[in-house]
């Protein structure tokens, strides 16, 4: 047998063998950590002695027979008699028999007595062996004892006894260095590249057994500087667990503590978790270090940690993880670290455990190692919390966190706190929290009830519905401003004023996205969607990029929905359809009532594109519970009504619009910018031949303070023109065009221009009517609104062929020229343009001449129809 990298050790053994052969007794103690080659070294000694003619007695102590007196002596006696089954004489009766056999063997020639795993020897055998080494000090006897270091042999003072022998030699077997690691690998037929040697040595710690396990598991890396990672449960993990087992009970407990604590481990924490005193912990740590199993206070590899944890039963692991949470808590570790241990334990009932889980949920909303971390922490806290008020608070906290992952689950989580409130078991402070969460989910009527109960003012719902359609929904400004329902609706609605746009953008720019800030950011985004959709599109893109790296499908769906609504308000039907579809993909299987919001946008986009068959597939979604009990149902009812209107069912459409109006009034969300149900209903009434009722609804909407927004006012003016006198109609439609042009809604602008063209034609202005109608036709085509484009096809055919005007051509225009060209493109005469811009008609004519020359066109009809819209968007509105 050949030993590598053990030249000094072999030389000392050879010297002891020669002395024994010369008749001098020798005593050798071989010490090495598990896996470092003690057994192999003893086998080398036995082979060498046999080659030199010595009698060899070789046995290993059995840890299972440690309490059995003279068990080791019986094994050694069996080597002398050659009969393992019937050793004679029996050392249980007298140890002198073995001594006699040994003396007889020594009288016949030199003897090698090898004992492996001495730390497991029974007490009686160990005492007799120590006695014999001193008694036979003049016999040709070489006694080689092997044991792992850091083991204590109770009551013997083993090393002191061995030192008294005049021929005592101690041979330590240390771990291999990097050079020895490479030599060992080559000997076993796996040459290791020089650049991978350090990696192999680091993984194995220089432990020969672990080196061989790594070589057997992965082989040498091909062209890689790093050694391949060992797999959990592979040869390396199995060998590692074996080494830990052989390091002794204290070391096993310390290794388990290190594995449980993981990155948070240090010797002090691990000792407390393993319940070891300072001295015992130091010895255990030294034993693990000697075997190359640890580096600092960490096990060498994740596979090693897994192997050590695999040595524990499930109950032991759970108990250790819970105790580890306590250790970390007392060490003032971060709540997330404590919570992680409690999750592994699977239980939490003490107050400090519940609080640690709640604190961790606040601090770690987006853990990359566990993206569902915060809700998981809260679910565990909720399941074990013995205090009912605290459990309800945890439920509210869980609902807030769950929304970003699973809106439907968040919806149902609020049912229990609501029931507790009705039973008088929810404190007022928590009632305010519940109301905000309900409003954030669009459940403003339920939020109203919560606020009313908290204030002691519970009023019945308003079920009385007036008979006239135009009076079937009370307007917002008719409600008392101090009523709880108004406060509840405010929690959902955006501020609603154009003046709030700068503040909303500052909030979006300065506030990081987090569970505590999500609702504020969402309301700011809704403000932009209502008043500055082009800016909303930009912010939706930024927020979408920020959230894409996180596991937050609920938030991703919310931002995609806002994006779709902003695009729809700009007349980008394809973009709105794309973003609404994306939102629905994020909500697949977990949307709940919120699913209606993107579904409404998808139905409306499909309807405007003329894809009625596809839109019809989404008109009656199957959702659990009462899906039409939230404000998200308002947009869906409107979208379904628009579909019925487009497909020739005005009565069905009217019913949907009026139902949406009743709900909006009941929930105090009756704002034309949010839900223009009156103008929708007016369109249906006009098709039903009821212009008087339509005119009343339009007049109601014009009288609302909330209808002052450009888009709402533009649509209202267009519908008002439909019931006005012919001479008044053009004036109203010009106003509608101006409002919608300023807002940037190309689809509604196309409708208004089409109606204006028709009104001008009835007034005998055929040339101007044709120009405006063609412009409406072009805008409808740009939006992808196929049915609208077909309806407003110019009477003199499609737009005449002309040289396409490129964007770089319009960029050559000065600001004054662009303003004049934009107004001319909208069909205004030179005199009207002069009045609007406060210049003379000759100045207008001069600017138009320059515009024609720069754009390479010859007449007003060839001006690009979307010139004003493009200019508007570029200005950042």
């Amino acid at each position: 047998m050949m030993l590598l990298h053990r030249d000094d050790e072999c030389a000392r053994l050879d010297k002891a063998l020669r002395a024994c052969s010369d008749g001098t007794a020798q005593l050798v103690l071989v010490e090495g950590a598990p896996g470092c080659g003690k057994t192999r070294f003893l086998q080398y000694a036995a082979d060498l002695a046999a080659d030199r003619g010595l009698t060899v007695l070789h046995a290993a102590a059995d840890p299972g027979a440690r309490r059995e007196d003279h068990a080791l002596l019986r094994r050694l006696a069996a080597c002398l008699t050659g009969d393992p089954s019937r050793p004679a004489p029996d050392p249980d009766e007298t140890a002198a028999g073995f001594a006699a056999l040994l003396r007889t063997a020594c009288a016949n020639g030199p003897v090698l007595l090898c004992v492996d795993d001495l730390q497991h020897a029974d007490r009686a055998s160990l005492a007799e062996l120590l006695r014999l080494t001193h008694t036979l000090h003049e016999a040709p006897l070489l006694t080689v004892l092997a044991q792992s270091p850091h083991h204590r042999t109770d009551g013997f003072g083993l090393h002191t006894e061995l030192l008294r022998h005049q021929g005592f030699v101690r041979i330590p077997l240390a771990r291999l260095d990097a050079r020895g690691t490479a030599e060992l690998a080559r000997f076993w037929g796996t040459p290791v590249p020089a650049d991978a040697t350090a990696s192999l040595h680091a993984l194995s710690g220089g432990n020969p057994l672990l080196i061989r396990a790594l070589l057997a598991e992965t082989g040498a890396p091909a062209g890689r500087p790093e050694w391949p990672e060992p797999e959990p449960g592979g040869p390396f993990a199995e060998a590692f667990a074996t080494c830990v087992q052989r390091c002794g009970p204290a070391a096993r407990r310390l290794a388990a503590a290190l594995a449980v604590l993981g990155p948070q481990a240090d010797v002090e924490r691990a000792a407390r978790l393993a319940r070891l005193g300072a001295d015992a912990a130091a010895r255990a740590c030294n034993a693990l270090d000697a075997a190359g199993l640890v580096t600092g206070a960490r096990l060498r590899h994740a596979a090693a940690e897994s192997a050590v944890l695999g040595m524990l039963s499930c109950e032991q692991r759970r108990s250790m993880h819970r105790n580890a949470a306590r250790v970390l808590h007392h060490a003032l570790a971060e709540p997330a670290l404590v919570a992680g241990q409690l999750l592994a334990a699977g239980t939490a009932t003490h107050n400090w455990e519940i609080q640690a889980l709640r604190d961790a949920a606040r601090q770690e909303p987006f853990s990359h190692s566990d993206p569902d971390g915060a809700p998981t922490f809260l679910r565990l806290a909720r399941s074990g919390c013995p205090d009912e008020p605290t459990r309800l608070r945890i439920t509210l906290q869980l609902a807030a966190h769950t929304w970003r992952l699973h809106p439907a689950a968040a919806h149902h989580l609020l049912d229990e706190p609501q029931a507790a409130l009705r039973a008088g078991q929810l404190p007022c402070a928590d009632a305010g929290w519940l109301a905000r969460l309900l409003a954030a989910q669009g459940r403003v009527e339920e939020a109203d009830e919560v606020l009313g109960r908290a204030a002691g003012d519970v009023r019945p719902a308003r079920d009385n519905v007036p008979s006239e359609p135009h009076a079937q929904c009370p307007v917002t400004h008719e409600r008392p401003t101090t009523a709880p329902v108004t406060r509840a609706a405010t929690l959902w609605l955006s501020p609603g004023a154009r003046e709030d746009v700068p503040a909303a953008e500052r909030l979006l720019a300065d506030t990081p996205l987090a569970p505590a800030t999500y609702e504020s950011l969402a309301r700011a985004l809704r403000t932009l969607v209502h008043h500055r959709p082009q800016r909303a599109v930009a912010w939706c893109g930024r927020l979408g990029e920020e959230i894409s790296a996180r596991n937050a499908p609920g938030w991703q769906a919310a931002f995609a929905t806002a994006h779709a609504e902003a695009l729809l308000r700009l007349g980008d039907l394809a973009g709105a359809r794309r973003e609404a579809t994306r939102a629905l993909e994020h909500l697949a299987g977990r949307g709940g009532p919120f699913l209606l919001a993107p579904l409404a946008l998808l139905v409306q986009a499909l309807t405007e594109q003329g894809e009625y068959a596809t839109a019809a597939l989404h008109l009656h979604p199957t959702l659990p519970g009462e899906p039409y009990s939230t404000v998200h149902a308002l947009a869906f009812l409107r979208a379904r009504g628009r579909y019925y209107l487009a497909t020739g069912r005005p009565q069905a459409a009217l019913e949907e619009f009026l139902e949406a109006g009743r709900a909006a009034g009941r929930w105090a969300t009756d704002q034309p910018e949010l839900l223009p149900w009156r103008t929708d209903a007016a369109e249906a009434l006009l098709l039903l031949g009821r212009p008087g009722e339509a005119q009343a609804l339009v007049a109601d909407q014009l009288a609302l303070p909330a209808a002052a927004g450009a888009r709402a006012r533009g649509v209202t003016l267009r519908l008002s023109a439909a019931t006005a006198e012919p001479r008044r109609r053009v004036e109203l439609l010009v106003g509608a065009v101006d409002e919608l042009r300023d807002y940037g809604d190309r689809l509604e602008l196309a409708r208004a221009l089409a109606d204006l063209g028709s009104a001008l034609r009835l007034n005998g202005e055929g040339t101007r009517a044709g120009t405006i109608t063609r412009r409406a036709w072009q805008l409808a085509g740009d939006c992808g609104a196929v049915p609208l484009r077909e309806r407003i096809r110019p009477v003199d055919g499609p737009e005449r062929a002309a040289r396409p005007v490129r964007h770089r051509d319009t960029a050559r225009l000065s600001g004054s020229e662009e303003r004049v060209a934009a107004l001319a493109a909208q069909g205004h005469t030179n005199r009207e343009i002069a009045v609007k811009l406060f210049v003379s008609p000759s100045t207008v004519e001069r600017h138009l001449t320059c515009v024609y020359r720069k754009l390479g066109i010859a007449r007003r009809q060839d001006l690009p129809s979307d010139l004003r819209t493009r200019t508007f968007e570029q200005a950042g509105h």
Side-chain angles (χ1 to χ4, degrees), residues 140-387:
L141 174 64
L142 172 57
T143 304
V144 181
L145 308 175
Q147 72 165 11
S148 295
H150 316 294
H151 280 272
R152 306 185 73 176
T153 307
D154 297 335
F156 281 100
L158 178 63
H159 283 84
T160 302
E161 291 296 321
L162 296 179
L163 285 170
R164 293 172 53 199
H165 195 287
Q166 62 183 5
F168 175 71
V169 177
R170 178 176 177 271
I171 301 179
L173 298 179
R175 293 180 282 132
L176 300 179
D177 58 15
R179 185 172 63 86
T181 298
E183 289 181 5
L184 194 61
R186 281 195 299 272
F187 175 76
W188 281 327
T190 311
V192 179
D195 54 358
T197 299
S199 178
L200 173 61
H201 182 260
L203 276 175
S204 65
N207 185 307
L209 179 61
L210 298 183
I211 295 171
R212 191 161 192 181
L214 285 169
L215 293 171
E217 180 173 340
T218 62
R224 292 172 50 191
E226 296 294 326
W227 196 268
E229 295 287 319
E231 295 292 332
F236 172 80
E238 185 177 345
F240 194 96
T242 300
C243 291
V244 171
Q245 288 278 13
R246 292 178 179 176
C247 282
R252 286 198 298 271
R253 288 161 57 188
L254 186 67
L258 293 174
V260 167
L261 289 169
Q264 288 73 51
D266 60 32
V267 175
E268 182 180 353
R269 290 176 179 177
R272 290 183 61 187
L273 179 56
R275 298 182 180 177
L276 295 173
D279 292 342
R283 286 193 300 272
C285 189
N286 289 338
L288 295 173
D289 182 66
L293 305 179
V294 294
T295 172
R298 291 289 308 276
L299 299 179
R300 285 198 170 268
H301 191 269
E305 293 182 354
S306 176
V308 173
L309 292 176
M311 297 161 57
L312 305 173
S313 67
C314 292
E315 187 58 38
Q316 287 174 323
R317 282 200 301 274
R318 285 194 292 267
S319 176
M320 287 199 71
H321 279 297
R322 194 172 190 185
N323 289 333
R326 185 183 298 276
V327 167
L328 293 173
H329 176 68
H330 287 310
L332 303 179
E334 289 293 324
L337 304 180
V338 179
Q341 295 291 345
L342 292 171
L343 282 184
T347 184
T349 55
H350 299 304
N351 288 338
W352 68 266
E353 293 173 328
I354 302 297
Q355 190 60 46
L357 289 166
R358 295 187 67 190
D359 291 343
R362 292 189 187 98
Q363 296 179 10
E364 296 290 330
F366 298 111
S367 170
H368 293 291
S369 59
D370 182 10
D372 192 23
T376 306
F377 294 156
L378 293 170
R379 281 192 289 268
L380 178 61
R382 183 169 176 255
S383 66
C385 182
D387 179 60

Side-chain angles (χ1 to χ4, degrees), residues 533-592:
Q534 191 66 32
R535 298 299 300 149
V537 168
W539 278 108
C540 286
R542 295 185 196 179
L543 291 168
E545 290 177 2
E546 182 180 350
I547 201 66
S548 62
R550 306 177 183 180
N551 184 33
W555 288 3
Q556 288 175 296
F559 291 138
T561 300
H563 198 175
E565 184 177 357
L567 291 170
L568 190 62
R569 285 171 173 264
L570 293 170
D572 185 352
L573 300 179
R577 178 178 178 178
R578 180 191 67 245
E579 292 301 321
T581 302
R582 183 176 300 171
L584 292 170
E585 290 172 353
H586 288 306
L587 293 174
R590 50 191 169 195

Side-chain angles (χ1 to χ4, degrees), residues 655-782:
E655 292 171 4
E656 297 288 344
F657 298 144
L658 294 179
E659 177 58 31
R662 281 191 290 268
R666 187 168 65 247
W667 300 338
T669 56
D670 185 9
Q671 294 191 11
E673 282 291 347
L674 179 68
L675 182 74
W677 69 271
R678 291 175 178 83
T679 47
D680 290 332
E683 284 193 63
L685 288 167
L686 287 173
L687 291 175
L688 290 169
R690 297 155 66 181
E693 294 172 87
Q695 186 175 14
L697 280 173
V698 172
D700 281 351
Q701 183 153 302
L702 278 174
L704 290 175
R711 184 172 185 267
R713 185 166 178 79
V715 173
T716 308
L717 289 174
R718 180 176 69 82
L719 267 297
S720 181
T723 59
E725 294 292 330
R727 287 175 296 180
R728 172 76 173 146
R729 191 173 301 166
V730 171
E731 180 184 348
L732 291 171
L733 288 171
V734 168
V737 167
D738 287 341
E739 296 283 0
L740 294 169
R741 179 194 62 203
D742 288 340
Y743 185 84
D745 189 334
R746 295 179 299 165
L747 183 61
E748 288 296 338
L749 179 59
R751 288 195 176 99
L753 286 171
D755 290 353
L756 177 58
S758 299
L760 289 171
R761 186 171 290 105
L762 290 175
N763 284 354
E765 300 183 49
T767 303
R768 186 181 174 192
T771 300
I772 290 178
T773 302
R774 281 192 294 274
R775 196 156 298 118
W777 181 77
Q778 284 182 336
L779 277 176
D782 293 342

